[in-house]
Amino acid sequence: MSRVAGNELVMDRGEGAYLWDTEGRRYLDATASLWYCNVGHGRARIAEAAAAQMKVLETYHTFGRFATPAALELAERVAGMVPIADARVFFGSGGSDAIETAAKLALRYWNALDRPGRRTIVTRANAYHGLHAFGTSIGGIEANSVGYGELIADVARVDHADAEALQRLVDERGADSIAAFFCEPVMGTGGVFPPEPGYLDAVQRICRDNEILFVVDEVITGFGRTGAMFGSDRFGIEPDMMIVAKGITSGYLPLGATIVAERVWAPFWAEDPELMFRHGITYAGHTAACAAAMANLDILEEERLTERVLELEGPLLEALRPLEQSEHVLAVRGGVGLLAGVQCRDQATADGVAAECVSNGVIARVIANATLQVSPPFVVDQSDIDLIATTMQDALAAVPSPA
Ligand code: PLP
């Protein structure tokens, strides 16, 4: 906090891809806040949908037999959008909640099947799955789990790009010890790593061959970010569980969901009253948040924003590619939707570049691996993309050369 004190940036207003701070300075939001503002800022229609819902019923819980029309409509809509046959939806308040739900459900599932030895959750180096206890433990960004001791046992990690590493782990430990494998279709906070060709197919096959639950974290990639509705569509995979949050409302209200295939939900619908998934949080499926999500999805579909993302993915990478010429840049990664990362040679350089960009009116943010996150709202145009690239170019030129 000592680094923040006296240096706060207080955001006041937003419209489209732009923001204004309390001093009236304008910024291009090159990160869509924390990767979530897919439809852009200042959408009165979403605010009105939430307000209209609140006037009728602000919210009601969704425990047991209780539900609301907004939660039911959204669950049905989302279940119909995902590439999972006969999906069921379990709402929460955000991504970390949904990860927690998926991890607990994976363990509960194997217990329900009388195979409690399947306990290990496998994830990848550099993975980010939120910061609740499960997310912190299964995440692969080391710095995030330092200083707590062991939060959750039975966690294993494999290389992020090598499917054979998963196979080796299964061979070493035995499939009967592994509950689930979690992965992001395009790794986000770890530094923006699109999957190697064939990687996702290969890990899906290893999971299927070994009965391991294949859990796909689409918190960033869901709802258009990759140029398809979901990363799973883009890469042709069919998860056993899918995690979504962020883009489901574009951040207008907090919401997340764990979307579950029949294999996983079926035991809990069986006629055994003892067999239940005793889990839920107060604001799961918050009614006004569901109403906001419906309006957000209407905008996404009516304005064909996912198609727009696909059209812009090439131009974004093309605009950023020249940054690789800088002595400060190790790599530019992208080419899948409006998602890119500019990896700098070290953390101090990345921090300096990000600060310079913000001073010059483009919001930049440093994620793991000294990488600058680029993930603008879907409403950006070519001139906005060029502004991101030229501002980063200027910022790279302004930071000191390596000694
Ligand atoms: N999973 C992924 C891939 C994420 O990027 C994030 C957040 O950035 C999360 C999970 C956690 O979501 P939340 O911050 O809404 O809890």
Side-chain angles (χ1 to χ4, degrees):
M1 291 313 294
S2 61
R3 287 170 60 184
V4 172
N7 198 24
E8 294 94 345
L9 189 49
V10 186
M11 290 304 175
D12 193 36
R13 187 164 72 80
E15 197 181 319
Y18 285 82
L19 293 160
W20 285 261
D21 68 15
T22 45
E23 310 283 307
R25 280 171 44 96
R26 189 175 96 129
Y27 303 85
L28 173 55
D29 187 3
T31 63
S33 187
L34 295 177
W35 326 80
Y36 59 70
C37 191
N38 291 2
V39 301
H41 301 284
R43 295 281 195 169
R45 181 170 167 189
I46 303 180
E48 281 154 14
Q53 175 61 55
M54 283 190 186
K55 286 179 191 164
V56 178
L57 177 64
E58 73 294 346
T59 191
Y60 210 77
H61 76 80
T62 56
F63 277 24
R65 63 194 288 242
F66 288 84
T68 61
L72 291 172
E73 277 166 29
L74 181 65
E76 193 163 334
R77 183 168 184 176
V78 169
M81 293 168 81
V82 295
I84 298 176
D86 202 5
R88 305 260 159 118
V89 178
F90 195 111
F91 286 122
S93 302
S96 299
D97 270 5
I99 288 287
E100 203 81 1
T101 299
K104 280 181 69 178
L105 184 53
L107 299 182
R108 186 71 189 89
Y109 168 80
W110 288 113
N111 270 269
L113 265 57
D114 239 353
R115 295 165 73 180
R118 283 199 179 250
R119 292 197 54 78
T120 301
I121 293 179
V122 182
T123 55
R124 303 186 294 162
N126 290 314
Y128 185 77
H129 297 295
L131 292 178
H132 288 357
F134 263 111
T136 302
S137 298
I138 69 176
I141 299 173
E142 298 296 337
N144 287 342
S145 55
V146 170
Y148 303 100
E150 184 178 57
L151 292 172
I152 306 274
D154 303 317
V155 168
R157 214 137 34 234
V158 293
D159 179 87
H160 81 264
D162 177 14
E164 282 305 308
L166 177 61
Q167 185 63 60
R168 280 195 299 278
L169 184 95
V170 172
D171 294 342
E172 278 162 23
R173 299 208 174 191
D176 275 347
S177 70
I178 301 175
F181 172 68
F182 282 54
C183 73
E184 301 154 84
V186 176
M187 187 174 273
T189 305
V192 184
F193 291 92
E196 295 295 323
Y199 174 83
L200 291 169
D201 275 339
V203 290
Q204 175 171 261
R205 192 167 351 97
I206 293 166
C207 289
R208 296 272 185 275
D209 289 350
N210 294 281
E211 293 183 79
I212 295 163
L213 294 173
F214 183 45
V215 183
V216 177
D217 183 343
E218 298 246 17
V219 168
I220 288 174
T221 52
F223 304 100
R225 177 60 66 189
T226 67
M229 192 51 79
F230 297 96
S232 296
D233 294 314
R234 174 89 191 227
F235 299 107
I237 51 176
E238 190 180 337
D240 294 316
M241 286 194 247
M242 187 189 275
I243 317 298
V244 297
K246 298 188 191 279
I248 192 168
T249 60
S250 289
Y252 279 76
L253 282 171
L255 188 69
T258 307
I259 306 165
V260 180
E262 182 178 5
R263 171 187 174 190
V264 180
W265 61 252
F268 302 97
W269 255 265
E271 291 278 315
D272 176 357
E274 295 305 313
L275 193 62
M276 76 183 279
F277 181 42
R278 191 173 280 278
H279 178 74
I281 58 166
T282 299
Y283 299 125
H286 188 283
T287 318
C290 289
M294 290 295 278
N296 171 61
L297 298 181
D298 288 343
I299 292 171
L300 195 70
E301 289 172 2
E302 285 169 22
E303 297 185 14
R304 304 175 67 84
L305 292 175
T306 303
E307 289 88 331
R308 184 184 175 87
V309 170
L310 195 59
E311 282 162 20
L312 290 174
E313 74 176 17
L316 179 67
L317 187 59
E318 216 170 287
L320 295 174
R321 194 58 97 196
L323 303 185
E324 275 181 338
Q325 305 303 319
S326 163
E327 60 183 342
H328 300 302
V329 173
L330 296 182
V332 171
R333 288 183 291 272
V336 179
L338 279 176
L339 259 182
V342 178
Q343 186 173 358
C344 297
R345 62 186 163 82
D346 55 39
Q347 182 72 30
T349 304
D351 287 342
V353 174
E356 184 72 13
C357 288
V358 173
S359 298
N360 292 317
V362 170
I363 304 286
R365 177 170 180 262
V366 183
I367 51 176
N369 285 304
T371 299
L372 299 160
Q373 167 187 341
V374 182
S375 57
F378 302 170
V379 293
V380 285
D381 60 20
Q382 183 68 51
S383 67
D384 297 322
I385 287 173
D386 292 342
L387 182 61
I388 294 170
T390 55
T391 305
M392 284 192 172
Q393 188 79 267
D394 293 347
L396 285 161
V399 298
S401 288

